Each structure stands twice: as structure tokens, then as C-alpha cells.
Amino acid sequence: MISTTMKLGGGGKATNDFIKNYIIKYFGNVYLNELRDASKLMINGNISFTTDSFVVKPEFFPGGDIGKLAVYGTCNDLAVSGAKPKFLSLSLIVSEGYSLEKLDKILNSIKHAVEEIDVKIVCGDTKVVERSEEPSIFINTTGIGELAVDLNNYNKINIGDKVIITSDIARHGLAVLSERNELNVDTEIISDCCNLYKIFEHVGYDGIKFARDATRGGVAAVLNEIKEHCNKGFLIEEDRMPIEESVKYLCEFLGFDMLEIANEGVAVLICENDRADEIVLKLKELEIAKNASVVGEVTDCEKVLLKNIYGGLRVVEMPDGNLLPRIC
């Protein structure tokens, strides 16, 4: 068999063979191997619980694939909530005729991601659906993490707190668009898709009051979401915004707002004023955060304002319409 068939998702021998030869082969552990209807887990204290579905096309792009994205995406949501990722579910929806070679490659990528984060896949599901167009794959991952500190409490945010961006922005969105041949230019931009829990393992939580990853809608969406909930504002500075020159040039050339482009390995941290520089120095010790920067601060103006390189101010609005690219 070189591609998926409806029989594979039918619940009989083909399904059992698939679970044994693919799922257990890659993700077998003491919880999953029992193949219970629901896994029995041990959790200490408060948990964080999240879910996300991934429909990115193409499923392979410079710097990653849909499997890696599904693991990192859900674990990053736990990490920026202040939790250590512990357990994941993995649900695959694959259309009839999808290449088993590509599926195997995606599962192998998932295996490497869960081993890196030290999170266990403890349950899941596979459905094969009738093919209506080019064979495709969608993935849903649900994650549970042990909550170490609450990094999503808007009441902790005060005027004068500093805003840190942990890495250069806009790479993931342009990498995916480039792979789709939608930019009509040759680029070598690599997605920033990565494990954000490394940041908190390395830096700790002292001085960090709030965190969120800047995925769909980019930095503009995250800052506007926070603004709405804390009734404060932000003043950020364009010349402090970490961005690769090639990415910045392409955004300007194509008319994209770099603040609205999707990321997959960028966190927005709101920190105590007098700890921000120290936190950035520590972040820069990590390869994934070597371009971290203090980009601005919390204000009382109830708007997100960007100061450009000439000193002018513009309001950064919540992105509207069909955001590009659709990543999850």
C-alpha cells in the first residue's frame, strides 16, 4: 500500500495495523501502549489545557511541516500560558489517496518534536475521508501542561512595563507563501517554527508578567488583543523591531505590514520595567531568541502606537479580513 485508503480509517484490521505500524512505532509510551478508550494520567496541581487544528498548505515548507507545526503550535500555547507541556492528543484527518511516504515523513517529524519538548502523545484518532481534490492532511492536537505560573493574567500588566519580542518577526508567513509560489519572487526565507518552552526553561519566570505567542495576525493582533483586555495601550518603536533585512525588504516591496504577518516561534513578553534588559540578555543566549529586543512599553493611551524611524506615530489596528497565510 503506497497511499491511504478508506479501509485504513474503517476501524478493522487495516486500522489496527496502521496504529501498530505507524502510531505506536513512533509514539509508543506507557500511556499510549495500553490503547485504552481514554488515557489515565497523573497531574500535580493546576493544569493548562488547549487545542488547535492545523490545515496549512503546503504541508511541507522551508523550516518545517504540518507535523512539527502541530506539536510546537499547541505546546507553545501551553508554554506562554506559564505551563510545562506534559501530554498531547494527536488526531489525523487524511483524505483517501494521501501518500503513505509523506505521512510517514510527517509522523517522523512529530516524533522529533515531542522528544525535543519531552511531551507524550497519550491518545488520538485517525480518520480517512473521501478525496474531493488533491489528497491532503489536517491535524488536531490537544495539550495538557502543568501550570507553573499564570502568564495570562491581564491584571498584572501596569503602565511602564516593557514589551519584549523574543525573535525576528514575519518569517513563517513569508516562508509558507513563498512555498505556495504566491510571492512571485525567489526567496530563501526559513520559517521560525520552534519550541518556545525553551525560553522559559532557560530564562525562568522572574520579571515576566504576561506572555503570548504571535501567530495568526502577528504582533499587531497580539498587542491589540491584550490592549482590549487590560484597558491600557502600547507604544512600540519601528527601529527596535527585530526583523531580517530580507524579510523587511520583501514586506515593503509587496506592501505587507510586517506586524501582521504570521509567526510560529515568536513570543511577546510583558516584563517589569527594571528587569527587561536583563531578560533580553538572557534570551540572546538561545539560538531561537538571539534577536530578542525590547520594542516598547505599556502606556495609558488605550491604543497600539508605532513610532517610525522619523519619529512619526501611526495607530496599529487589529488586522482585518482574510489574514495571509492561513496557517492553522
Side-chain angles (χ1 to χ4, degrees), residues 259-318:
L259 298 177
E260 296 185 5
I261 300 291
N263 313 282
E264 273 300 331
V266 174
V268 175
L269 308 179
I270 298 177
C271 305
E272 294 173 9
N273 182 314
D274 57 354
R275 299 290 303 277
D277 290 337
E278 171 194 345
I279 290 169
V280 165
L281 283 176
K282 194 72 178 170
L283 283 167
K284 286 178 175 291
E285 294 173 358
L286 293 170
E287 179 65 24
I288 64 169
K290 64 184 179 184
N291 296 317
S293 174
V294 177
V295 300
E297 64 182 30
V298 180
T299 69
D300 62 355
C301 75
E302 299 189 22
K303 293 179 181 176
V304 180
L305 297 174
L306 176 72
K307 181 190 286 187
N308 66 27
I309 58 175
Y310 305 107
L313 294 176
R314 77 166 170 93
V315 176
V316 178
E317 302 282 4
M318 175 67 85

Side-chain angles (χ1 to χ4, degrees), residues 9-66:
K13 184 177 183 302
T15 301
N16 287 331
D17 288 346
F18 176 76
I19 291 171
K20 177 182 175 184
N21 297 327
Y22 287 86
I23 302 301
I24 297 296
K25 169 187 164 185
Y26 282 116
F27 313 122
N29 57 60
V30 294
Y31 305 98
L32 188 63
N33 291 353
E34 291 187 21
L35 294 178
R36 299 163 57 103
D37 284 340
S39 287
K40 184 173 68 174
L41 308 175
M42 176 71 77
I43 293 284
N44 296 316
N46 292 326
I47 66 167
S48 281
F49 182 46
T50 187
T51 191
D52 209 342
S53 298
F54 298 82
V55 299
V56 64
K57 289 185 178 180
E59 65 270 52
F60 298 95
F61 49 83
D65 56 70
I66 191 171

Side-chain angles (χ1 to χ4, degrees), residues 142-280:
T142 296
I144 294 174
E146 287 181 349
L147 194 65
V149 59
D150 184 2
L151 291 181
N152 283 179
N153 184 346
Y154 299 96
N155 294 325
K156 293 181 180 176
I157 300 172
N158 293 320
I159 294 167
D161 289 341
K162 297 294 186 185
V163 180
I164 292 172
I165 303 291
T166 61
S167 182
D168 53 288
I169 63 172
R171 273 193 285 133
H172 179 71
L174 294 187
V176 173
L177 285 175
S178 172
E179 193 65 15
R180 290 180 190 170
N181 295 317
E182 291 184 16
L183 297 180
N184 295 319
V185 293
D186 291 329
T187 77
E188 296 182 349
I189 296 171
I190 304 294
S191 169
D192 62 330
C193 185
C194 72
N195 164 28
L196 288 177
Y197 185 66
K198 277 185 181 176
I199 285 175
F200 302 101
E201 275 186 314
H202 185 71
V203 177
Y205 298 105
D206 286 349
I208 300 175
K209 304 172 80 171
F210 192 95
R212 183 151 290 174
D213 55 341
T215 53
R216 278 183 300 175
V219 172
V222 166
L223 292 180
N224 274 284
E225 286 171 7
I226 299 171
K227 177 206 74 173
E228 291 295 327
H229 286 88
C230 72
N231 296 317
K232 298 181 179 64
F234 295 97
L235 175 62
I236 55 176
E237 299 185 36
E238 184 178 8
D239 60 357
R240 290 187 168 197
M241 194 61 63
I243 185 167
E244 286 185 355
E245 276 303 313
S246 60
V247 174
K248 184 178 181 182
Y249 170 79
L250 202 53
C251 285
E252 291 173 352
F253 179 72
L254 297 169
F256 293 158
D257 186 341
M258 62 180 180
L259 298 177
E260 296 185 5
I261 300 291
N263 313 282
E264 273 300 331
V266 174
V268 175
L269 308 179
I270 298 177
C271 305
E272 294 173 9
N273 182 314
D274 57 354
R275 299 290 303 277
D277 290 337
E278 171 194 345
I279 290 169
V280 165

